[in-house]
Amino acid sequence: MASTSVASKLTAKVVSAAMPKSPMIHSSGNLYQILSSLPKDGVGARVTQARWEKKGIQDSYWEITRVRLKAEGNHGKAWGKLVWKGKPVNEHTTRIRQGLKYLWKDVTNAPNASVVKPAAPPAPTA
């Protein structure tokens, strides 16, 4: 009986050592943790601060255009375009400040995310 448990422990160690480590998926965390868990380090993604949703601020997010990660994705720099309450703030890319200070969420593909939804085309008039 003891040999079976030793064999199973050895097998588990060998299998876990052979398996590649999967990136940690964060539902919320600092900005750089969220971006590092996304494809292409989050370039093209839409992220929002979790506190904006708590304050009732809708249709506000950063669209990520450039990322430079450090320290295994826990620190870095990120740039993007801010959309605030459905309206773009600037046309040019801006560095995103306070990436470590607040909790952030990826809202790129969220079904009921606080992002701008395209307007429906006008109904044809007859």
Side-chain angles (χ1 to χ4, degrees), residues 89-101:
V89 174
N90 289 325
E91 291 186 20
H92 63 280
T93 300
T94 307
R95 178 153 177 230
I96 302 172
R97 302 286 180 184
Q98 301 175 333
L100 292 171
K101 191 171 183 180

Side-chain angles (χ1 to χ4, degrees), residues 15-65:
V15 169
S16 66
M19 298 292 289
K21 292 184 179 178
S22 62
M24 231 161 86
I25 304 299
H26 296 280
S27 60
S28 68
N30 77 46
L31 175 63
Y32 311 111
Q33 290 171 338
I34 299 298
L35 295 177
S36 67
S37 70
L38 298 173
K40 296 191 279 181
D41 288 337
V43 173
R46 291 179 175 177
V47 294
T48 185
Q49 290 184 14
R51 68 191 188 117
W52 293 350
E53 193 173 283
K54 290 178 185 174
K55 291 181 176 185
I57 301 169
Q58 298 295 313
D59 302 329
S60 300
Y61 58 90
W62 281 94
E63 187 164 350
I64 305 300
T65 57

Side-chain angles (χ1 to χ4, degrees), residues 101-115:
K101 191 171 183 180
Y102 300 109
L103 289 178
W104 293 75
K105 293 175 20 178
D106 173 30
V107 293
T108 305
N109 296 321
N112 59 354
S114 58
V115 297

